[in-house]
Amino acid sequence: MSLINSINRERLPKHVAIIMDGNGRWAMQKGKPRIFGHQSGTNAVRTTIEAAAEIGIEYLTLYAFSTENWKRPKMEVEALMALLITSINDELDNLVKNKIKLNIIGDTGQLPISVQKKISAALNATKSCSKMTLTIALSYSGRWEILEAVKKLIKNNPLLDIETLTEAKFSKYLSTHNLPDPELLIRTSGEYRLSNFLLWQLAYAELYFTKALWPDFSKEEFFGAIIDFQGRERRFGKTSEQLG
Ligand code: IPE
Ligand code: IPE
Ligand code: MG
């Protein structure tokens, strides 16, 4: 029996974020080049989007390429950029058909022009989709984003009275201004760190780590994470008794 039947549809996280890690190791274990792992990882991306849409997750955010990933060997970076283009080509029709709106966060100006063009076309093609918002973090890092937000805030409000600044006002300057904070963060591959992902937004997220390498991540793994989340008590600093 699939784990999907054990999910409480009344208590779904609105927003799930995922650090898709372990492609390289998955390929190496098979005696293949790292890029083979990235290619296989795109199947897990499709499966995960389907799983999230199937149970009615409203926001899914995937960490695909970090600011720090630019430091990888040139060949791997180029292969990843090429893979981005093929993935968008292959998946765009499916996104539109399933009413999934694409959203991109990160320093996209760093991406090759060919990738930037593909992204703009895909954003445009899915702009009126409203079943789920799929955010892909590309050339993204949490510190970059927070610093950008500070710069924009000061630029737009040179006479800002700092006493009036609140968390809510500040978050409007983040690239996630149109998304709720993720309630659940999943990281694959048995690494226990955030690697500069959504540092502001994950402040109170429930963290779920699985040893599965990203290309092996399945619908059942995803549903398992949701069930685990539903068993957590989210106290936000209060005591258990206060939650009633
Ligand atoms: C995640 O897999 C994909 C990216 C970071 C682009 P990795 O490429 O980090 O795989 P490992 O962690 O080396 O196994
Ligand atoms: C995090 O994975 C970034 C993405 C999944 C895109 P990394 O593999 O780059 O993270 P570290 O270097 O192990 O922390
Ligand atoms: Mg990794």
Side-chain angles (χ1 to χ4, degrees):
M1 195 177 80
S2 167
L3 289 175
I4 196 170
N5 301 311
S6 309
I7 294 175
N8 177 353
R9 305 296 178 104
E10 311 288 296
R11 290 196 52 212
L12 285 175
K14 247 180 141 72
H15 185 175
V16 179
I18 309 185
I19 302 178
M20 312 184 287
D21 198 13
N23 292 347
R25 276 164 284 165
W26 185 88
M28 302 301 264
Q29 282 174 8
K30 295 184 156 41
K32 299 267 173 63
R34 293 177 53 84
I35 187 65
F36 179 68
H38 296 312
Q39 280 159 354
S40 305
T42 61
N43 296 326
V45 171
R46 186 179 317 114
T47 308
T48 305
I49 296 171
E50 267 173 32
E54 220 168 297
I55 57 170
I57 299 293
E58 289 175 57
Y59 300 89
L60 177 69
T61 296
L62 305 176
Y63 201 8
F65 192 84
S66 73
T67 305
E68 289 75 23
N69 289 148
W70 289 114
K71 296 181 212 147
R72 290 194 179 193
K74 192 162 173 272
M75 219 176 79
E76 180 167 342
V77 171
E78 282 174 2
L80 281 166
M81 294 301 137
L83 194 55
L84 266 170
I85 295 189
T86 19
S87 303
I88 297 176
N89 281 341
D90 293 350
E91 299 308 322
L92 189 56
D93 285 351
N94 262 338
L95 294 183
V96 175
K97 196 174 83 200
N98 296 308
K99 302 193 176 60
I100 298 171
K101 181 183 189 149
L102 185 66
N103 178 42
I104 305 284
I105 54 170
D107 192 3
T108 49
Q110 300 298 316
L111 299 166
I113 299 291
S114 53
V115 177
Q116 293 186 38
K117 282 190 177 153
K118 258 294 146 219
I119 289 174
S120 307
L123 290 174
N124 199 37
T126 63
K127 67 172 189 280
S128 37
C129 296
S130 56
K131 186 166 187 287
M132 180 170 95
T133 299
L134 169 68
T135 300
I136 311 277
L138 281 177
S139 189
Y140 171 90
S141 80
R143 287 189 175 183
W144 165 82
E145 179 189 40
I146 293 169
L147 199 56
E148 279 302 303
V150 173
K151 289 182 196 170
K152 264 186 244 156
L153 173 76
I154 298 173
K155 206 168 158 192
N156 292 3
N157 308 277
L159 303 173
L160 176 76
D161 171 5
I162 52 170
E163 297 310 325
T164 63
L165 189 59
T166 59
E167 290 186 9
K169 283 185 191 166
F170 179 74
S171 357
K172 293 270 178 287
Y173 290 88
L174 295 168
S175 51
T176 51
H177 56 88
N178 46 358
L179 313 173
D181 286 345
E183 294 100 323
L184 171 63
L185 170 83
I186 301 172
R187 183 169 187 152
T188 58
S189 90
E191 304 290 359
Y192 304 101
R193 56 179 171 272
L194 293 180
S195 301
N196 219 344
F197 191 40
L198 300 175
L199 297 180
W200 172 280
Q201 298 85 341
L202 293 174
Y204 252 110
E206 296 299 325
L207 309 181
Y208 180 88
F209 299 99
T210 165
K211 289 217 167 359
L213 300 172
W214 178 252
D216 289 330
F217 193 75
S218 61
K219 285 194 180 184
E220 289 304 292
E221 280 273 350
F222 184 79
F223 298 147
I226 301 289
I227 293 164
D228 189 273
F229 167 84
Q230 294 186 328
R232 309 265 182 109
E233 182 179 67
R234 307 193 72 210
R235 289 190 291 277
F236 299 99
K238 296 183 180 175
T239 66
S240 228
E241 293 68 31
Q242 283 177 296
L243 301 174

